[in-house]
Amino acid sequence: QIKDSATSTRDVLEQHFSDLKGTLKKLLDERLTSLLQEVDVIEQESIKPLDECQKLIEHGVSTADDLLREGESAVDGDVGQQNEKLCNFTKKALHIQLDSLPEVPSLVDVPCLSAQLDDCLLTILKNQIFRHGTVASRPPVQLEEFVEKPGGILVRWCKVDEDFSAQDYRLQFRKSPGSPFEDVYVGSEPEFLVLHMDPHVDYQFRVCARGDGRQEWSPWSVAQTGRTTLVPHEWTTGLEGYSLSSRRNIALRNDSQSCGVLYSKAPTYFCGQTLTFRQVLFGIETVGQPDRRDSLGVCAEQRRGDESLQRDQAVCVSTNGAVFVNGKEMTNQLPAVTSGSTVTFDMEVVQFGACSNEGGNFKLRVTISSNNREVVFDWVLDQCCGSLYFGCSFSYPGWKVLVF
C-alpha cells in the first residue's frame, strides 16, 4: 500500500504541475497577445491624424513650389507673353491660401507608448507556488463500517485526524474497478444509506472531507469494498388502488375507488433489521386525507380482502399516531404521520415455550419510532416467524410511501 500510494502520488503531482505549466504558459501567451494588440490599436488610432496633417502640409508646400516656379517663368518670359503669364499667376496666387496650415498637435498631446510591468507579480507567484500543494501521509477521514440493508448499504466513516475540523463529507462509490467513482452523498453527517444496490455485488467506496471554512477537499480515504446480501424491499404489484415506482419501493395511493392493504412482494423483513417507511412529498398536496383505518406496519402473513392492518397477527401505527398490536389499540401514541415523516420498526426475538414447525409461542420485542418518539412493547405470535411481511393501507389518494 505504501509503495503503490507513493507511486500514485508521484504521478498525480507530476501530472498536476505539468498541467499547471501548460496552463500558465497559455495564460501568459494570451496576456502578451492582448497587450500587443492594445499597442497596435493605440498606434493606429494615434498616428492617423498625424499622417493626415503631414499630407496636408506636404500638399501645401508642393502647391507653393509649383506656384513659385510658375512666377519665375512669368518674370523670365518675353515681353509679349509676360503680361498674360503674370495675369494668370496673379489670379492663381489669389485663389491659393499659402498661409493656411492644419493645426499641428503639441508634443505633449502626442501619445508616447510604454509598458508598465510590475515586478511584484513574480514575488506573488513565487509565494503562491511555494505554498501550493501538500503531501499527506494519511487522509483525515476513513471508512469505518458497512452495514447491510435490504437493497442497500449503510456506510459509516470517522475522523482519524483529531486536529482536522470537518465541515462537510463527500462519499463516492463505483460498481467495478475500471469505472469512475460517482458522488452519492455530500453533507455533514458521518454516515449515509446508499440505496438501489444489487445484492451479492461488490461496490467500492471512498470518502473525503472539507475543512471548516475551506473550499478544497481533503485526500480520499483508502477505497474499501462493501456489499449487501439482502434483497431490496418491494411492494407487491397488481393492487388496483396503488401505483408503484419503477423499483417498486415507492407506493402511491391513486384515485382508484378500490381499497385494501398493499403488502410487500415477499417476507423480506427479518428481526434485527430496521424497517423504515418515509412519507414522500407529493405535488402540491403533500399528503392525502387521513382516515382512522390508514396504517403502516408489519404482519406475519398476507390476508387478501382486509381493509386495514389493524388486525390480528399484525402490528402497525395509524396516520394519526395510534399504535395497534394484533388489532388492539395501545394507550401509548406516536406523533401523526405528516409530510416527510419517517416511521421505523425494529424487532428482536424473545422466544418462550416450544417452537417447532407445528407451531408454538413466539414473542418479539418491537420498537416503533417516529419524529424522535418511540414505543416499545412485546408482540406475541402463535408460530415462529423467521421473516415478516410489511404493508400499508390508505383510504384516500395522495399518500406516497417509500420503504427501505
Side-chain angles (χ1 to χ4, degrees):
Q1 177 175 315
I2 295 176
K3 289 186 176 181
D4 290 343
S5 62
T7 300
S8 175
T9 302
R10 291 189 190 97
D11 293 341
V12 170
L13 289 172
E14 290 174 355
Q15 183 62 49
H16 177 74
F17 278 86
S18 176
D19 293 342
L20 280 181
K21 289 178 185 177
T23 303
L24 185 59
K25 183 180 184 305
K26 180 181 177 182
L27 292 174
L28 289 173
D29 289 342
E30 290 177 354
R31 182 56 180 164
L32 174 61
T33 301
S34 175
L35 291 172
L36 292 176
Q37 288 175 348
E38 287 187 37
V39 173
D40 293 341
V41 170
I42 295 174
E43 180 185 26
Q44 292 171 7
E45 292 179 350
S46 301
I47 207 169
K48 183 178 179 181
L50 295 178
D51 286 341
E52 293 175 352
C53 181
Q54 181 179 358
K55 289 179 182 178
L56 290 173
I57 293 174
E58 290 175 349
H59 177 71
V61 172
S62 176
T63 302
D65 188 56
D66 292 342
L67 185 62
L68 177 61
R69 283 194 294 270
E70 188 174 340
E72 291 175 347
S73 175
V75 173
D76 296 338
D78 56 33
V79 177
Q81 296 178 345
Q82 193 174 44
N83 290 334
E84 182 180 357
K85 289 183 177 181
L86 286 174
C87 183
N88 292 334
F89 170 79
T90 302
K91 291 180 180 179
K92 184 179 292 187
L94 291 174
H95 286 87
I96 298 176
Q97 297 179 350
L98 295 177
D99 59 347
S100 176
L101 291 174
E103 182 179 359
V104 179
S106 62
L107 189 61
V108 295
D109 294 330
V110 177
C112 180
L113 279 70
S114 63
Q116 287 75 50
L117 301 174
D118 193 348
D119 292 338
C120 72
L121 174 63
L122 292 176
T123 303
I124 296 173
L125 288 176
K126 181 179 178 181
N127 293 334
Q128 292 294 328
I129 290 173
F130 284 166
R131 290 199 302 265
H132 180 68
T134 57
V135 176
S137 59
R138 58 177 56 84
V141 291
Q142 291 285 7
L143 296 169
E144 182 179 30
E145 184 181 16
F146 298 103
V147 181
E148 292 187 59
K149 297 291 183 179
I153 301 175
L154 177 62
V155 184
R156 293 193 175 106
W157 52 88
C158 63
K159 290 196 307 178
V160 293
D161 183 356
E162 293 301 326
D163 295 330
F164 184 84
S165 178
Q167 174 180 303
D168 292 305
Y169 299 102
R170 181 181 178 188
L171 178 67
Q172 290 188 337
F173 83 113
R174 65 182 178 184
K175 191 172 183 178
S176 58
S179 60
F181 280 95
E182 300 177 17
D183 284 343
V184 68
Y185 173 75
V186 176
S188 59
E189 297 297 325
E191 64 178 32
F192 183 73
L193 176 59
V194 185
L195 295 173
H196 312 317
M197 311 196 78
D198 298 326
H200 306 287
V201 173
D202 288 339
Y203 291 85
Q204 279 194 325
F205 294 87
R206 65 181 186 180
V207 68
C208 66
R210 181 161 48 198
D212 191 16
R214 306 295 294 270
Q215 294 297 321
E216 71 277 7
W217 291 100
S218 73
W220 290 105
S221 68
V222 177
Q224 297 188 41
T225 301
R227 63 156 50 193
T228 180
T229 59
L230 306 176
V231 297
H233 291 318
E234 294 182 8
W235 298 104
T236 190
T237 58
L239 193 60
E240 184 178 350
Y242 294 88
S243 303
L244 306 182
S245 63
S246 59
R247 291 183 177 271
R248 297 182 293 279
N249 60 339
I250 299 177
L252 167 65
R253 181 66 170 91
N254 56 35
D255 296 331
S256 173
Q257 298 299 318
S258 177
C259 188
V261 178
L262 176 67
Y263 291 102
S264 58
K265 179 181 178 181
T268 54
Y269 175 60
F270 297 88
C271 293
Q273 299 177 0
T274 297
L275 178 70
T276 303
F277 298 97
R278 180 172 296 164
Q279 174 61 36
V280 183
L281 300 182
F282 174 58
I284 298 176
E285 296 184 15
T286 54
V287 294
Q289 181 180 348
D291 186 277
R292 63 180 182 83
R293 297 168 297 174
D294 295 347
S295 304
L296 297 164
V298 176
C299 57
E301 59 185 9
Q302 296 184 4
R303 289 186 185 176
R304 303 299 178 183
D306 287 340
E307 293 187 355
S308 174
L309 279 173
Q310 299 169 16
R311 61 166 177 82
D312 187 36
Q313 300 295 295
V315 293
C316 64
V317 56
S318 66
T319 52
N320 65 5
V323 179
F324 291 83
V325 183
N326 289 333
K328 296 180 180 180
E329 184 175 354
M330 294 182 61
T331 55
N332 293 337
Q333 188 164 330
L334 293 169
V337 178
T338 58
S339 303
S341 289
T342 297
V343 180
T344 62
F345 287 74
D346 290 276
M347 300 187 185
E348 60 178 334
V349 178
V350 182
Q351 183 177 321
F352 64 96
C355 183
S356 65
N357 294 333
E358 288 76 21
N361 292 325
F362 197 65
K363 180 190 292 185
L364 298 176
R365 182 71 44 80
V366 181
T367 302
I368 306 178
S369 303
S370 177
N371 293 339
N372 296 322
R373 290 180 59 184
E374 66 179 28
V375 294
V376 182
F377 56 90
D378 288 340
W379 178 26
V380 179
L381 298 170
D382 58 7
Q383 60 181 348
C384 295
C385 292
S387 58
L388 298 165
Y389 292 89
F390 56 85
C392 69
S393 60
F394 299 104
S395 301
Y396 298 99
W399 292 91
K400 191 175 184 181
V401 178
L402 165 70
V403 61
F404 58 90

